[in-house]
Amino acid sequence: MSVIRVSEISKYEGQEVTVQGWVYNRTDKGKLVFLLVRDGSGFVQCVAFKGDLDEATFDSVMRLPQESSVIITGPVRADKRAPGIPGGFELGVKQIQIVQAAEADYPMSLKDHGPDFALDNRHLWIRMQSQWAILRVRVRVMSAVREYLDGQGFFNLDTPILTPAAAEGTSTLFETEYFDEGKAYLAQTGQLYNEANIFAFGKVYCYGPTFRAEKSKTRRHLTEFWMLEPEIAFCDLDGLMDVEEGLVSFIAAAVLKDCAAELKFLGRDTSVLEKVVGPFPRMSYDDAAKHLIDLYEKETDPEKKELLKFEWGMDFGAPHETEITKLYDRPVFVYGYPSAVKAFYMEPWPGRPEVCKSVDLLAPEGYGEICGGSERVSDHDLLLARIRKEGLPEEAFHWYLQLRKYGSVPHSGFGMGTERVVAWMCGIEHIREAIPFPRTIKRVYP
RNA sequence: UCCUCGCUAGCUCAAUCGGCAGAGCGAGCGGCUGUUAACCGCUAGGUUAGAGGUUCAAGUCCUCUGCGAGGAGCCA
């Protein structure tokens, strides 16, 4: 008897198969018991009829607690009434082995839970259909990233997580002791190392966890998140936008194609994702600023007006980003931010030193900044001047400055927040559900 | 760090002007051959976050503490 994956059940219609999994829900109808069984690949309804089983077995099936582990063998039938993911097929219970009857006090009911309770029970919450669907989308987003970049000739060279000093000197870092070497810090970016790697490999990316000790308490922030950072030699700002556009379009297409059942379960409006096809609109910061100032002046509600307050030179807040994304039905690039609000390593705009060659990619529907990148300063003396101006420790950047001495070229890169992309793909409220075990300012358990 | 809101049964939430502590789900028992978070009947389940105060009377009003939420700032 072959053990099958529930996700492939449609291939076995009319055949007798075995499914190994856990009881997600049970409904009994007297002489008939419906078990919704999940096996990791999907959810399938198993139907036990009193006449098909001996009395003791049927009785124990009727009393099976939620989450009991089972091995069930029986015929696969197509039935439109059968719930599940993908659904439409059910398994008749001919034989059942109860591997373990779960204890009856399983804390997660199938009803709604508050965030605090759900997160305290995250180790169990991930078994629920909604969380399973979201995390399956995450898996596909991450595999799509690698598929696309590997196909474009990028090399995945990961950068260190333990680092000697602040890379940007802006965000707060998690600190740890490092033997006799003093302090080490958890990386908030791999960019500087990526910049070294491109001079050996041309096009590279790192994809790993990133740590920010910022006290951000919003639905868009985690203290530990997975950031993709491609870096490309001989690439200017326009070339960078081309890469971002290709990547994000590819991710959306992959999720639409391979996670259709998950998106359907989540109730995602897929027509929104179908529009995620390049070219994306490219808007200058100057034009965006004009639009925002116009909105600010026209706003009459004092509360909203305060939130929309804007003048040239300011960085965008979340309300500003939302207003800009409302102008389009697909992601939008905003490029050419004021240098003063961006990092020291960003290349100045030719002829306009107050502006830099930076670009953010803003997702629609209020999901905000999913990618942030720039063309990097390639001139040694300019970079040194910037480091001095920022008051950064020059000796820590010795190796980074050296990159500009031996074959420096124009180069660009960006960072993409995986959880923000996953949340956007799924249409969920909070990015904490887009990672198996979220770390926030108030939570390191479980 | 600042602003706003919240904390009642295992879970999600009610409780009118300050007047007997309630429901659904979950758990237990019983019924039903097509359920979709099934449904129907019965049972058990409470230091209303903690401390103090006002009052004949506090889940409800006041003060403090704790915990949480999402918004600002910062950022992906």
Side-chain angles (χ1 to χ4, degrees), chain A residues 199-224:
Chain A
F199 291 98
F201 298 93
K203 300 200 279 189
V204 305
Y205 66 95
C206 61
Y207 201 3
T210 296
F211 306 88
R212 303 274 166 95
E214 297 154 1
K215 293 189 174 178
S216 297
K217 263 186 62 139
T218 82
R219 70 184 73 181
R220 299 179 309 279
H221 289 88
L222 298 169
T223 55
E224 179 180 321

Side-chain angles (χ1 to χ4, degrees), chain A residues 316-334:
Chain A
F316 299 145
H320 303 123
E321 284 182 358
T322 303
E323 288 303 329
I324 292 164
T325 59
K326 276 183 192 167
L327 297 171
Y328 305 98
D329 63 353
R330 62 195 68 202
V332 52
F333 288 110
V334 179

